Amino acid sequence: MGHLAACLTAAKRIGMVSRTFVLAWGLAVACIGSLGVATHAEAAEEALIVTEVTVTGNQRIEDGTVRSYTLIKPGSIYSSELADQSLKQLFGTGLFADITMRLEGTKLVVSVVENPIINRVAFEGNSAIKEEDLQKEVQLQPRVIYTRAKVQSDVTRMIELYRRGGRFSASIEPKVIQLPQNRVDLVYEISEGPKTKIASINFIGNKEFSDGTLREVISTGESAWWKFLSSADSYDPDRLTFDRELLRRYYLQRGYADFRVVSAVADLSRDDSAFHITFTVDEGEIYHFGEIAVATDLDKLNREELETLLLPVTGDVYDAGLIDKTIDKLTFAAGTQGYAFAEVRPRIKRRQDERVIDLTFQIAEGPRVYVERINITGNSRTLDKVIRRQIPLSEGDAFNKVLLDKSEKNIRALQYFAKVDVTQSPGSAPDKTIIGVDVQEQSTGSLSLSAGFSTLDNAVAGIQLSERNFLGRGLQLSTSLSLSRRRQLIEFHYTDPYFLDRDIVGGIDLFGSETNFQNESSFDSRSQGFGFRFGFPLSEKSRLLLRYQFRADEIFNVDASASTAVQDAEGRELRSIIGYDYFYDNRNDPVEPTGGWDFLFTQNLAGVGGSVRFLSNELLARYYYLLTEGFQTNWRLDSGYIFGLGEDVPLNDHFFKGGNTIRGFARGGVGPRDVASPNQDAVGALAYIFGTAELSFPNALPDALGVKTSVFADAGYIGLSDFDQSAFPGVVDDFAPRASVGLSLYWQSPFGPIRLDFAQVLLDESYDEKEAFRFSAGTSF
C-alpha cells in the first residue's frame, strides 16, 4: 500500500505541473505494474516452506533436543515471529551462551554456543564463614551448567549471608577458569572486610524509661571490647525486627496499651565501619485494669472456679503478659474438664477517657479439629521416635491445646535441643491441623571438672564423661574417672529411658572407688559393686524408680591414732540393698523453673543377703517462686534418717555432710566427731535436716557475659549417733543448729559453666571444719 501511495502522489504532481494527461497516466500504469511485482515478491517470501532444520555448534546437547525447542519444523512456513519465539525458548533453557538462526535456501540453520559445565566450585579468602555454609547458599555446583545469571544470584546470596553476620563491606568477585571440553572452574574470590559494629543505639520519644533501660530490653547491643564472644553487637535486620517486638512487649507489660514503635532506622557511617541505630517510639498513656470477668455457656465449667484463675486484678497496671498467661490457664482448665476444643478469647473494652481497660474472657467450644500429620524438622542426629514419644498426640487424635503445650515441655525436658518450637498450622481440610516440631540440636555429651578448696587444704577434683543421647536414640551413658590424691573412682552407668519401647526406665550401674578419708576420719575406703534400675510413671507428674545394688565395702589403712570408732569399723562387709525413689514434679518448666515445686523421697533397705542390715530414708523438696522480673527465689529442704535393723549402722553408711549440702563447711565438716582423737575424726550422723533459701538477682555486669549472681542462706541440724558414750567417750554429738550465708557467682563461660561460692558461717560448733570458698567448673562436647 505504501508503494501505491508513492506512485499516485508522483502522478498527481506531474499532472499538476505539466498538465499533460498522457504522461501522468503512463506513470500511474508503471507504478501499478511495479506494485504487482513487489507484492508478488513479498508473498513468495512469506510462503517459504522450510524443508530441513540443521543444528551446528553443539557438543554435548543432541540435535533433537535443540529441534524440540524450535517452533519451525520441516514442512512449516518460515516467519520471523516463529524464529523470535524459537530463540526465546532456546535461551530460556539456560543451556546456551549464544544462538543464531539463518536461512540457506529452504534450509534453516540453527547455530548454538553451549554454556560450559562447571568442573569445580572453590572459595578463597573466607575465614569468618565456613566453606560448608557458603556451599549451602550457592546454586551452582560441580556438573551443573554455568550461567552468568546464576553466578550473580549466588554472589548476592553470599553477600547477604555476610551482611547477616555483620560484615557489610564484604565483596565477592567470581572468576572463571576455562578448561578443555567446554568445562570451567568457578572461583569466588572473597574479601570479607571487618565486622561492622554498632556504635550507638538511641531512642527518641521515650519519657518513662531511659535509653539505658531500653537498651537492656532489646537483643541488639552496642559494641564493646568485652563482647568479643557475642554476636549481639553486629547489625542484623531480622534482629532489629525482633527488637521492635521486644520493646512492644516491654511497654504492654507495664500498662502502655497504646505503645508503638514508629520507626527503627539503622544508619551506616560514611566509612562503613559501624551502624547508628535509632528507635522512634510513641509511649502513649498508662492504663489500668477495669472490670474483669469470665463468660461461658459450657455446662461443665464452673465460672466461680475459673475466676480464681484470673491473673489480672482490677485497679492494677495493665499487663498484656498476664492476659496471655490467663488464656493458657483457662484453656488448660477447660481441657481438664473434657473440652479439648475450647477457645478462650479476651474481649477488650478500652475506656480512653478513664485510661481503663475492661476485660472479659469468653470461653466457647471451638470447632472440632483433628491431627492430620506431625512433622519433625531440625533433628539431624536424634531419631524421630525419640521426639515422637514425648508428644501425647498422634495422627488422627483430637487436637488438644493443653497436650500441645505439654509436648513442648516434654521435648525441652530432654535437654537434647537448644531450641524447641512446636507450632500448629492448617491441614488439608478445615477440621484438620498439622503439628510442626522444629528443634535445634545441641551438645548432649559433657566433660565435667570439679574442684574445692578449704582452710585445711582439702582438695577435691574429679572428671566425668557423659552422653545423654547416645546414637540419637535417647540412651544415656555416663562414666566417671578420678585419679586425684584424695579419690580414685571409676563408674559406668547405662540408662534406657524407654526400655522395650515402653515408658519404663531401665538401667545398669557398675562402680569401683577408693577414697582417702584421712583428713576427715583417718581411714581409706574401698567399694566395688553393681546394680540395676527399673522405673515407671505413677501419674502424669509422678514416677517410681525401683533399684537393687550389691557391693563390697572395705575400710582399711586406718591410722594407729585414729578414733576407736574408726578402728572398730575396719574390715570388709557385703551389702545387698533394695530401694526405691518416688519423684513428683509440679514445676512450670523442667529446665529453668520459675514456679512450682518438686519432691523426691528415697528409701533403701539393706539385709536381703549381705552382712549389713539397715533402713535409710532421705527426702528432697524444692520450691520455686518468681518475685518479679529478674528476681527468682529458690527454696530447698534436704533431710535424711538411717537406723540399724537389730544392729548398729556401719560407719560407711553414716551421713557425712558439708560442702554443697551446707556451704561454708568442708565435706564431713559438720556432725558427730571424736574430739579425743588427734585428728578429731568425723564419725558421721544418723540424721540431718537442712534448708536453703536462695535469691537470684540482676547484677551490674553486661548480660552478654552470662554471669548470674545470687545470695543464699543455708541452715539446719545434723547429729544423732549410735556410739555408746561409755565405749567411745571422745565422740561428741550435739544435734545443734548450723547456719551460713554467702554469695554465689555462676558464669556460663566459653569453656563451660563455672560456679564460685563464698560463704560465711553464722552458727557452728567448735569442732566443725569450715570452708569459706568453693569452686566448680565444667565444659561440654
Side-chain angles (χ1 to χ4, degrees):
M1 294 297 295
H3 186 72
L4 176 60
C7 291
L8 292 176
T9 300
K12 187 183 292 185
R13 287 177 179 175
I14 293 173
M16 292 174 62
V17 173
S18 63
R19 301 181 182 276
T20 305
F21 177 77
V22 176
L23 181 58
W25 175 255
L27 181 59
V29 170
C31 288
I32 292 172
S34 65
L35 174 63
V37 174
T39 303
H40 178 74
E42 290 177 2
E45 182 183 30
E46 291 178 357
L48 176 65
I49 297 176
V50 176
T51 59
E52 183 182 357
V53 177
T54 303
V55 180
T56 63
N58 54 316
Q59 299 177 19
R60 301 183 311 272
I61 302 169
E62 298 291 337
D63 292 359
T65 302
V66 178
R67 293 192 187 99
S68 66
Y69 289 99
T70 305
L71 300 179
I72 301 175
K73 311 292 183 184
S76 301
I77 298 175
Y78 176 85
S79 72
S80 57
E81 292 182 357
L82 289 177
D84 289 342
Q85 292 180 18
S86 299
L87 288 172
K88 290 178 181 179
Q89 288 201 162
L90 286 168
F91 275 114
T93 63
L95 299 173
F96 309 103
D98 191 21
I99 308 168
T100 59
M101 288 186 178
R102 67 180 186 276
L103 281 172
E104 295 182 356
T106 59
K107 181 173 68 174
L108 178 65
V109 179
V110 182
S111 298
V112 298
V113 177
E114 295 178 350
N115 275 323
I117 293 291
I118 294 177
N119 176 65
R120 182 174 64 96
V121 178
F123 304 89
E124 295 181 355
N126 59 300
S127 60
I129 300 179
K130 296 180 180 179
E131 184 171 328
E132 296 81 12
D133 296 329
L134 292 173
Q135 287 281 6
K136 296 176 183 177
E137 294 297 321
V138 298
Q139 304 176 58
L140 292 175
Q141 302 290 341
R143 295 181 298 278
V144 173
I145 295 174
Y146 168 89
T147 65
R148 293 180 181 178
K150 288 183 179 180
V151 170
Q152 293 303 318
S153 175
D154 289 346
V155 168
T156 301
R157 291 165 65 90
M158 287 188 288
I159 289 291
E160 181 63 24
L161 185 64
Y162 272 102
R163 290 189 172 185
R164 291 188 179 277
R167 299 180 184 272
F168 279 76
S169 60
S171 62
I172 301 176
E173 185 178 355
K175 295 293 181 81
V176 177
I177 302 174
Q178 299 289 341
L179 299 175
Q181 300 178 352
N182 200 22
R183 296 176 301 122
V184 296
D185 283 345
L186 179 59
V187 180
Y188 294 101
E189 294 183 354
I190 302 172
S191 175
E192 295 182 327
K195 209 168 188 180
T196 309
K197 300 294 185 180
I198 296 177
S200 64
I201 300 176
N202 302 305
F203 296 87
I204 299 175
N206 54 311
K207 300 176 182 178
E208 295 299 325
F209 302 101
S210 66
D211 286 13
T213 301
L214 296 181
R215 289 190 191 104
E216 294 294 327
V217 173
I218 61 178
S219 61
T220 305
E222 294 179 342
S223 300
W225 65 267
W226 39 263
K227 294 184 179 180
F228 62 94
L229 294 173
S230 173
S231 61
D233 61 339
S234 60
Y235 173 68
D236 186 342
D238 292 339
R239 187 185 294 124
L240 204 63
T241 302
F242 180 58
D243 289 339
R244 295 172 67 115
E245 178 63 18
L246 291 177
L247 288 171
R248 190 186 72 86
R249 293 180 188 175
Y250 183 80
Y251 273 91
L252 289 180
Q253 291 174 358
R254 286 156 180 80
Y256 295 90
D258 295 330
F259 172 82
R260 63 191 182 96
V261 179
V262 179
S263 65
V265 180
D267 295 320
L268 187 61
S269 61
R270 293 183 178 179
D271 59 357
D272 294 343
S273 62
F275 276 97
H276 298 271
I277 297 178
T278 302
F279 292 93
T280 303
V281 301
D282 181 7
E283 293 181 331
E285 300 292 334
I286 194 168
Y287 283 74
H288 291 76
F289 283 116
E291 298 178 1
I292 303 173
V294 175
T296 181
D297 295 329
L298 302 180
D299 297 335
K300 296 181 181 179
L301 298 183
N302 187 314
R303 189 177 304 173
E304 294 180 355
E305 293 180 358
L306 295 176
E307 288 177 350
T308 62
L309 302 176
L310 300 179
L311 297 178
V313 178
T314 301
D316 284 359
V317 174
Y318 174 79
D319 185 347
L322 295 180
I323 298 177
D324 295 335
K325 292 178 181 178
T326 301
I327 292 174
D328 291 340
K329 284 180 171 291
L330 294 176
T331 303
F332 183 84
T336 57
Q337 295 297 320
Y339 295 101
F341 305 98
E343 290 185 348
V344 180
R345 296 181 179 177
R347 307 295 185 185
I348 296 176
K349 181 180 180 182
R350 186 173 306 190
R351 291 183 273 164
Q352 293 185 346
D353 295 340
E354 304 175 43
R355 301 289 185 267
V356 170
I357 293 179
D358 296 330
L359 193 59
T360 301
F361 292 94
Q362 182 71 42
I363 305 177
E365 190 168 13
R368 292 186 173 272
V369 180
Y370 298 89
V371 178
E372 179 180 9
R373 191 167 65 252
I374 299 176
N375 295 330
I376 300 175
T377 58
N379 55 318
S380 59
R381 178 170 176 250
T382 306
L383 300 181
D384 278 7
K385 73 173 186 178
V386 175
I387 301 175
R388 279 183 175 270
R389 63 196 185 195
Q390 302 299 324
I391 304 174
L393 289 168
S394 300
E395 284 84 351
D397 288 353
F399 175 76
N400 189 314
K401 181 65 167 56
V402 176
L403 296 180
L404 187 70
D405 294 342
K406 183 181 178 182
S407 300
E408 182 169 348
K409 290 182 178 180
N410 290 348
I411 298 171
R412 291 183 68 246
L414 294 174
Q415 300 187 43
Y416 301 163
F417 311 106
K419 180 182 177 183
V420 178
D421 189 17
V422 180
T423 58
Q424 175 194 3
S425 58
S428 60
D431 62 341
K432 294 181 180 180
T433 187
I434 297 174
I435 296 176
V437 180
D438 185 33
V439 299
Q440 179 182 337
E441 293 187 312
Q442 65 179 359
S443 298
T444 54
S446 65
L447 167 64
S448 299
L449 307 173
S450 62
F453 306 91
S454 72
T455 55
L456 296 178
D457 193 27
N458 183 16
V460 179
I463 180 172
Q464 182 183 41
L465 299 172
S466 65
E467 172 57 60
R468 303 191 307 273
N469 187 19
F470 184 63
L471 299 177
R473 298 177 178 272
L475 305 176
Q476 300 170 13
L477 297 178
S478 173
T479 180
S480 298
L481 175 65
S482 175
L483 300 175
S484 67
R485 179 184 64 85
R486 183 180 183 275
R487 192 180 194 196
Q488 297 80 46
L489 166 70
I490 182 169
E491 58 182 354
F492 172 80
H493 304 282
Y494 168 82
T495 302
D496 185 350
Y498 273 78
F499 185 61
L500 299 178
D501 285 331
R502 299 179 180 272
D503 194 5
I504 299 175
V505 174
I508 299 174
D509 306 303
L510 302 172
F511 53 89
S513 66
E514 187 172 308
T515 308
N516 183 335
F517 285 100
Q518 296 294 336
N519 285 337
E520 296 92 343
S521 304
S522 301
F523 71 87
D524 292 338
S525 174
R526 182 183 295 123
S527 179
Q528 302 95 22
F530 67 91
F532 51 84
R533 298 164 278 121
F534 289 98
F536 50 88
L538 295 178
S539 66
E540 182 180 345
K541 297 182 178 182
S542 63
R543 297 187 70 90
L544 183 67
L545 178 68
L546 304 177
R547 291 176 284 101
Y548 174 77
Q549 186 182 89
F550 183 87
R551 71 175 192 258
D553 295 338
E554 182 181 4
I555 291 179
F556 67 101
N557 198 20
V558 176
D559 191 272
S561 62
S563 167
T564 54
V566 175
Q567 294 182 15
D568 285 355
E570 186 174 12
R572 185 171 182 267
E573 292 178 312
L574 299 178
R575 286 168 172 78
S576 178
I577 302 172
I578 60 172
Y580 67 89
D581 296 334
Y582 173 77
F583 181 65
Y584 190 92
D585 189 355
N586 194 40
R587 297 173 295 175
N588 63 352
D589 189 279
V591 181
E592 296 181 354
T594 57
W597 54 274
D598 60 0
F599 172 90
L600 173 65
F601 179 72
T602 299
Q603 197 168 53
N604 291 316
L605 173 65
V608 185
S611 57
V612 174
R613 290 171 176 79
F614 63 79
L615 180 66
S616 69
N617 310 271
E618 291 189 83
L619 181 147
L620 172 64
R622 295 175 295 188
Y623 177 74
Y624 306 89
Y625 184 73
L626 182 64
L627 292 176
T628 184
E629 185 176 356
F631 291 86
Q632 168 80 33
T633 60
N634 299 329
W635 305 79
R636 174 184 173 123
L637 178 66
D638 197 355
S639 63
Y641 178 63
I642 185 172
F643 59 90
L645 300 176
E647 59 184 38
D648 291 339
V649 178
L651 183 69
N652 281 31
D653 300 298
H654 287 192
F655 297 119
F656 292 84
K657 295 297 179 180
N660 289 330
T661 308
I662 177 167
R663 286 162 283 190
F665 296 91
R667 183 186 182 280
V670 291
R673 186 177 299 274
D674 190 343
V675 296
S677 62
N679 192 41
Q680 294 195 347
D681 296 327
V683 295
L686 299 182
Y688 71 92
I689 180 169
F690 290 111
T692 295
E694 190 161 0
L695 171 65
S696 302
F697 58 90
N699 52 55
L701 299 174
D703 291 341
L705 290 180
V707 177
K708 297 180 181 180
T709 54
S710 64
V711 292
F712 64 83
D714 294 342
Y717 290 81
I718 184 169
L720 298 186
S721 172
D722 52 5
F723 293 107
D724 190 346
Q725 283 295 113
S726 60
F728 307 98
V731 174
V732 291
D733 178 18
D734 298 318
F735 197 71
R738 272 81 164 178
S740 65
V741 295
L743 173 70
S744 287
L745 299 178
Y746 179 83
W747 178 31
Q748 187 62 43
S749 75
F751 317 104
I754 293 177
R755 185 183 181 94
L756 307 175
D757 291 320
F758 303 88
Q760 175 63 48
V761 174
L762 300 181
L763 293 175
D764 66 319
E765 294 298 309
S766 59
Y767 49 82
D768 290 338
E769 294 184 2
K770 302 176 184 178
E771 182 182 73
F773 169 69
R774 190 169 184 86
F775 163 83
S776 61
T779 187
S780 61
F781 62 90

